[in-house]
């Protein structure tokens, strides 16, 4: 027979956001990267398209897209000759909710 145990209050407190989540949020808080995420929200775009649409240096856009992809902020479709990137809204929302839960309930 099992013994009933009341869960401790510690189990109800959300875990502190992980370092990768905080790093991802830092990336989002950069105005140029935030503009890139917004541009790629509605349609997948290649690096050159993002650069042209936002009038940003293609090298900087390429670097930032790679960094945001590694941080789970972007999805990639590389099934064709060029890679197309789109904003990973579900992951960004999940990270933001985790941070908010932790701030509200810790």
């Amino acid at each position: 027979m099992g013994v009933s145990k009341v869960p401790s209050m510690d189990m109800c407190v959300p875990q502190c956001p992980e370092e990768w989540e905080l790093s991802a949020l830092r990336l989002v808080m950069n105005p140029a990267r935030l503009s890139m995420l917004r541009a790629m929200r509605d349609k997948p775009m290649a690096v050159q398209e993002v650069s042209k649409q936002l009038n940003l240096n293609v090298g900087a856009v390429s670097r930032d897209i790679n960094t945001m992809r590694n941080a789970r902020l972007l999805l990639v479709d590389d099934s064709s000759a060029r890679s197309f990137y789109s904003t990973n809204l579900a992951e960004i929302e999940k990270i933001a909710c985790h941070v908010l839960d932790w701030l509200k309930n810790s």
Side-chain angles (χ1 to χ4, degrees):
M1 265 199 244
V3 177
S4 178
K5 188 175 181 181
V6 177
S8 71
M9 289 304 288
D10 292 341
M11 293 176 72
C12 297
V13 177
Q15 285 186 310
C16 180
E18 295 182 36
E19 186 57 39
W20 73 267
E21 293 173 302
L22 298 174
S23 294
L25 283 177
R26 281 190 287 273
L27 290 172
V28 170
M29 293 297 97
N30 173 281
R33 289 188 206 113
L34 194 57
S35 294
M36 286 184 243
L37 289 167
R38 188 155 192 223
M40 293 180 280
R41 177 190 63 199
D42 296 325
K43 83 170 192 153
M45 300 174 79
V47 170
Q48 296 80 4
E49 290 176 282
V50 175
S51 173
K52 186 176 180 180
Q53 181 175 324
L54 299 176
N55 197 29
L56 296 171
N57 177 281
V58 71
V61 169
S62 179
R63 181 198 64 229
D64 284 345
I65 282 179
N66 188 49
T67 303
M68 290 189 291
R69 179 183 179 194
N70 290 337
R72 306 179 195 174
L73 300 174
L74 293 176
L75 302 170
V76 64
D77 176 3
D78 52 10
S79 60
S80 64
R82 293 188 337 180
S83 295
F84 291 87
Y85 302 91
S86 57
T87 304
N88 189 351
L89 288 174
E91 191 68 23
I92 294 170
E93 185 174 19
K94 192 166 92 176
I95 293 167
C97 286
H98 185 194
V99 171
L100 283 172
D101 285 347
W102 184 75
L103 288 171
K104 291 177 184 177
N105 299 307
S106 59

